[in-house]
Amino acid sequence: MTVGTTTLEIERASVEQVEVEPGVTELTFTVEPDSTGDVTFSLLWRTAAGDAVAYWHPHSVHRSLGVEWTRPRITNALKWAPLGALHDTSGGNVETWALDEVVEPVHIQAGVEEETSRFLHRVKVEGVAPAEGPYVVRMRVDQRAVAYSDALHDVAQWWLASSDVPALPVPDLALVPVYSTWYSFHQRLEPAAVARQAELARELGCKVLIVDDGWMTTDAARGYAFTGDWQVEPSRLGDLAAQASVAAEAGGGYLLWIAPPFVGMESAAWERFQGKLLTTIERLRCGVLDPRYKDVRDHLVSTCVSLVRDYNLIGLKIDFVDTWPREDAPAAGPGADFARVEEAVDAFLASLTAELRAVRPDVLVEFRQNYIGPRMWRYANLFRAGDCPMDRVDNRVRTVDLRLLTPASAVQADMLMWDPSLPAEVAAEQVLAVLFAVPQISVLLDQVPADHLAMMRFWLAFVTEHRSTLFRGRIESPRPDLQHPLVRAHGSGTTIAAAYTDLVVTVRPSDQADLWVANATGRDDLVIEVLASAPVSLVGAQDCRGAAVDLPVGELTAGLHRLPVPRSGLLHLHRL
């Protein structure tokens, strides 16, 4: 069958095809189980790639067209999401596709087919056992002449509309800057030092503090031998409830890191749950708990809920959830109430979410980038970029990608760190790299120069004031293949752009009246193009510490203008 420029080959399925709007087709596939009760469903399709330059998908930060014979990537409820978007050099959509199978494993191969010069997809779902009746899966194919970012946004809305459970609400505290202890302390937490950093962070605008790994043990060997009991070690945090209350009185709060899958060999829980492990990881000195047993899930839920309730926390940073799905998982043993690990994890997360919200309706739950698919939107409201310490390019790409795909949740950057001996302008580029996501500062604030503090104070105040536009506004980035060199976010009456390389920033009629441009080019100037159809006035500019720059204000004529905006500074324009 054909859909626009695409030809599809379908195995073992009947199909219903509906054009929901011009250029957008929805396909519904119905597959009868085989004699064993399982379902195997395969799709192969070829698309005329036209002038496509790259293929966007959430599995990688490196963009190219690729080749169709590469190793399949696998998505499931806890890993990535089943979609992809071909786009051209202007960021225009060539073809964007998505499945509504966001729980079961989907095997995906995609790339150029050498023999035909077309873009080929192979998608396979196998081993699914429907509870009753046939297996039904829907596919959305979008070939409209729109921006690929618009096509991705519409996929996200399609997933949200398809879900029988809404996304976890995003409270106001999800959108304020964060201080994290991870890169600044790692596991070597010390009560007075943590309290001091929390105090300094609040003065800079970081109302939320995440206490990462190390709070439950005196060990600092970077393994997980002491996970599993999840008891606060006083020598690491002192009176945690009292510190959390101080933060709450200042309008913020504390989150604790926790890794529910892990049970350490030095924990009391190690003996308790012998025989209920999916695997043992010797190099980390821990095992992975088997969530198919109800007592395992109950232990984990009660542990998480007790931490939030007993220590007056505003939420949890829940890590390593993606270690649960395993190809080498043993068969469920006697007493297990689920046959499949993925189903058990989903039951655990559903129960945990309900119990946490019963204690705190506005609870914050952070997940990491690997498990950001639409099924997870109901269980977390903070999605953080994967670990990329001090890599401002990687952090930028990861956060922008997350913003493109998760409109219903808050997106957080990986923790920010930098060399304190660098000029403030260079340090500021770590902050500007993640301008469109909630920043997490993770440097020792009493060991950086005063101008670094001034830089953070200025930029954190800016993102706090404009958080509605930056973190919730419609995001636009036309060149993901070039690692998002120019990004815009559009809010109510405000557009905020960031230039990450020396290029022309065009003021367009589609920009809002109030336009800010962050200079993350590494240079001391910005090139602005004013269109005759979109005249603007120059309001002013500031350096990275917030000091005003001496620029002639007033209307800019149509054409190109190279303006002396300092490195990591901010330009303010008004569209007339």
Side-chain angles (χ1 to χ4, degrees), residues 390-392 416-431 443 447-456 544-545 567-568:
M390 216 160 71
D391 190 334
R392 54 189 183 267
L416 302 182
M417 59 176 289
W418 57 81
D419 182 346
S421 68
L422 294 172
E425 290 78 5
V426 180
E429 290 180 355
Q430 294 287 344
V431 180
V443 295
Q447 296 183 23
V448 297
D451 60 346
H452 286 214
L453 294 175
M455 175 274 292
M456 283 186 276
C544 73
R545 302 163 192 82
R567 181 176 183 176
S568 300

Side-chain angles (χ1 to χ4, degrees), residues 4 14 54 58 97 104 192 201 284 297 367 460 493 556 564:
S14 61
W97 71 274
E104 301 292 344
L284 299 179
R297 299 195 306 275
F367 281 178
L460 294 181
L556 296 176

Side-chain angles (χ1 to χ4, degrees), residues 190-358:
E190 193 277 323
V194 171
R196 176 59 176 157
Q197 296 305 311
E199 178 185 10
L200 293 172
R202 282 193 292 273
E203 294 174 0
L204 295 177
C206 297
K207 294 183 178 181
V208 173
L209 185 136
I210 297 178
V211 179
D212 214 292
D213 189 5
W215 57 267
M216 69 292 178
T217 176
T218 57
D219 181 74
R222 291 286 294 271
Y224 299 102
F226 294 89
T227 59
D229 297 336
W230 304 113
Q231 300 294 315
V232 174
E233 169 55 49
S235 67
R236 290 301 193 190
L237 287 182
D239 190 339
L240 174 59
Q243 291 190 47
S245 295
V246 170
E249 290 170 3
Y254 275 40
L255 286 81
L256 276 187
W257 171 91
I258 188 170
F262 292 162
V263 57
M265 296 178 182
E266 301 296 331
S267 70
W270 176 257
E271 293 298 329
R272 176 183 173 187
F273 291 114
Q274 285 303 297
K276 296 180 179 179
L277 301 178
L278 291 173
T279 190
T280 299
I281 308 174
E282 289 291 343
R283 65 183 178 83
L284 299 179
R285 301 289 294 154
C286 71
V288 177
L289 288 167
D290 190 338
R292 293 175 292 186
Y293 296 91
K294 187 175 185 300
D295 60 335
V296 170
R297 299 195 306 275
D298 289 347
H299 163 71
L300 295 176
V301 170
S302 64
T303 298
C304 292
V305 172
S306 295
L307 288 170
V308 171
R309 182 186 59 239
D310 297 346
Y311 294 100
N312 193 28
L313 304 179
I314 60 171
L316 296 171
K317 173 180 178 174
I318 298 179
D319 212 351
F320 293 108
V321 174
D322 54 337
T323 62
W324 262 319
R326 308 187 65 85
E327 293 184 1
D328 60 351
D337 57 352
F338 284 97
R340 298 180 60 250
V341 172
E342 290 84 355
E343 293 176 332
V345 174
D346 195 67
F348 159 66
L349 292 174
S351 178
L352 175 61
T353 302
E355 294 290 334
L356 286 173
R357 295 196 70 194

Side-chain angles (χ1 to χ4, degrees), residues 392-404:
R392 54 189 183 267
V393 174
D394 210 19
N395 216 353
R396 175 177 84 231
V397 174
R398 290 175 181 275
T399 51
V400 173
D401 282 355
L402 281 170
R403 287 280 282 106
L404 288 168

